[in-house]
Amino acid sequence: MSAPGREAAGFRGLTLGILGGGQLAQMLALAALPLGVRVRVLEPDPQAPARLCAEHLLAPYTDPAGLDALAECDAVTLEFENVPVEALAALDGRVPVRPGGGLLARSKHRAREKEALRAAGVQTAPFKVIESAADLEGALERVGGRGILKTSELGYDGKGQARVSTPAELAAAWADLGRVPCVLEGLVAFGSEVSLSVARTAGGELAFGPLIENVHRGGILRTSVFPAEAPEGTEARAREAARAVAEAWGLEGLLTVEFFLLPGGALLANEVAPRVHNSGHLTQDGGGLSQFGAQVRAVLGLPLADWRPLLPCAMVNVVGVQGQEPDWAQIDALPGTHVHLYHKAFRAGRKLGHVNVVAPDRGTLRERVAELERLIP
Ligand code: AMP
């Protein structure tokens, strides 16, 4: 904020605005506060997780007074990709929004995203855009005979998706999804899934997060592990792909690329999130800079370097399961664990928190992760 009285020393006196007040905003705020950075979130949900650690502008994302208050911040970032274009237009020219609208337009639309990944020279699974009944013709053969149909917009955590292996299944799945614009992707026989984040300042300086290995359950991330088990050179290639996306898409701020790692070692980009990512939560407790600190720094133009845990570490998500509660006493008693709760009301299938665990070596980490997975339904 350009208010008088800002302390010149260090980072004090800066205010970061965030569109959205969910758990990512909460954890961004928790990383910003110790740097002397205040946080203001625009978020219509009165129970949103970030309400407890940030100034909460309780209003719709398009609210003019709320947007005026965000425009007074030093920079604005976001924690979700589906920010209304009206909100971005209202902030345009008044405050730096990082990442900006051009990048968001790509990352929130699967078809545009895949085309823009290819244009940046990054490999993806074979895909075919489905926008009319005529597009269904021959689509499955084009992607290799078996595929996943995904809505182009508003899909997340495996929602808005269907696996198909015959033309009849494809037609039925498209009808089920409401005949909205979709992408049919070839089914990838991946060996594992990995992710890597990149941050880029407005001046074009780059910094990278670590390569992280991810296991999903029912379309939702279950466990992330650092270091990822991957052939030599994988991290360098993931960085190169992330750098290509960051530069071609004009990133300011931080983005995360999710990849399929094929048994031969090739990487296919699956998705780009224009922000910190669930897989990077383990960086909170690995001893290095966290992904949240990295996003805050990149967005505000504060000093930034590669961020990487100093110790092997992992994260297990806590997702609501009806009638079952994690065994908190045992989780607490397990060495190296750090519980992170989002202060959200219980709902089955909802991300309610996560538990990070750190260990002195990979073998001990594996044992602790197995134990955590037993204690968290
Ligand atoms: P997404 O919403 O695209 O991130 O997909 C959620 C999860 O579904 C991914 O992390 C994969 O585990 C799986 N998945 C998505 N797309 C494909 C694909 N083309 N081939 C195989 N598995 C996929």
Side-chain angles (χ1 to χ4, degrees):
M1 221 177 295
S2 55
R6 177 198 291 179
E7 294 166 67
F11 311 148
R12 285 169 290 171
L14 294 175
T15 302
L16 176 66
I18 306 180
L19 282 154
Q23 67 263 21
L24 299 182
Q26 181 191 69
M27 293 184 275
L28 285 166
L30 290 172
L33 288 168
L35 297 174
V37 173
R38 288 170 176 269
V39 173
R40 213 174 242 198
V41 302
L42 179 58
E43 164 61 56
D45 177 0
Q47 295 306 318
R51 74 189 183 283
L52 297 166
C53 50
E55 182 189 340
H56 186 183
L57 307 165
L58 180 59
Y61 302 122
T62 50
D63 179 66
L67 290 164
D68 284 348
L70 277 193
E72 288 171 17
C73 296
D74 292 281
V76 171
T77 191
L78 43 108
E79 60 136 28
F80 69 117
E81 32 278 68
N82 295 306
V83 174
V85 281
E86 303 91 294
L88 297 173
L91 296 172
D92 193 36
R94 301 169 71 192
V95 60
V97 179
R98 296 176 175 145
L103 193 143
L104 292 181
R106 294 181 180 103
S107 68
K108 74 174 185 185
H109 189 278
R110 283 191 197 271
R112 280 203 290 269
E113 178 181 59
K114 293 218 182 305
E115 282 157 2
L117 280 166
R118 294 260 178 108
V122 175
Q123 284 190 296
T124 69
F127 69 94
K128 169 86 173 70
V129 177
I130 307 287
E131 285 173 341
S132 71
D135 294 329
L136 296 171
E137 195 67 41
L140 209 48
E141 295 92 89
R142 274 210 23 203
V143 303
R146 291 203 300 157
I148 302 192
L149 186 68
K150 303 179 178 179
T151 56
S152 268
E153 292 190 90
L154 299 176
Y156 65 97
D157 283 348
K159 294 184 176 66
Q161 301 190 3
R163 286 188 178 220
V164 291
S165 42
T166 65
E169 280 175 16
L170 172 59
W174 192 52
D176 273 357
L177 293 174
R179 297 195 167 84
V180 294
C182 283
V183 174
L184 177 67
E185 285 178 29
L187 192 70
V188 178
F190 55 79
S192 64
E193 294 184 80
V194 294
S195 53
L196 186 131
S197 299
V198 58
R200 188 167 175 265
T201 63
E205 261 175 82
L206 292 167
F208 296 89
L211 188 73
I212 296 169
E213 185 170 346
N214 303 312
V215 176
H216 290 79
R217 191 173 70 176
I220 301 184
L221 183 64
R222 166 70 167 165
T223 302
S224 293
V225 179
F226 167 85
E229 194 110 11
E232 175 107 17
T234 306
E235 179 158 5
R237 284 181 293 106
R239 277 186 174 216
E240 180 46 32
R243 184 200 58 74
V245 175
E247 289 182 343
W249 296 16
L251 172 69
E252 291 180 7
L254 185 148
L255 65 75
T256 306
V257 188
E258 294 175 34
F259 299 94
F260 300 125
L261 177 57
L262 304 188
L267 286 169
L268 300 180
N270 175 35
E271 223 169 25
V272 177
R275 50 170 170 76
V276 287
H277 190 259
N278 196 164
S279 60
H281 293 0
L282 52 72
T283 59
Q284 289 173 309
D285 294 306
L289 178 66
S290 80
Q291 63 165 354
F292 301 99
Q295 180 162 333
V296 169
R297 285 165 176 265
V299 169
L300 288 171
L302 303 176
L304 178 65
D306 290 351
W307 64 102
R308 185 181 191 81
L310 301 176
L311 283 172
C313 53
M315 180 225 59
V316 180
N317 260 339
V318 177
V319 176
V321 180
Q322 202 65 51
Q324 288 183 56
E325 182 70 14
D327 188 334
W328 294 117
Q330 285 207 49
I331 290 169
D332 257 349
L334 195 66
T337 55
H338 301 260
V339 174
H340 297 261
L341 294 175
Y342 308 151
H343 298 255
K344 280 168 146 179
F346 177 89
R347 207 165 59 211
R350 192 178 209 192
K351 289 178 182 170
L352 301 171
H354 65 272
V355 181
N356 288 335
V357 61
V358 189
D361 56 75
R362 290 188 196 206
T364 312
L365 184 70
R366 262 196 297 277
E367 286 165 19
R368 290 181 183 172
V369 168
E371 187 61 10
L372 267 187
E373 287 181 329
R374 197 179 64 75
L375 299 171
I376 300 175

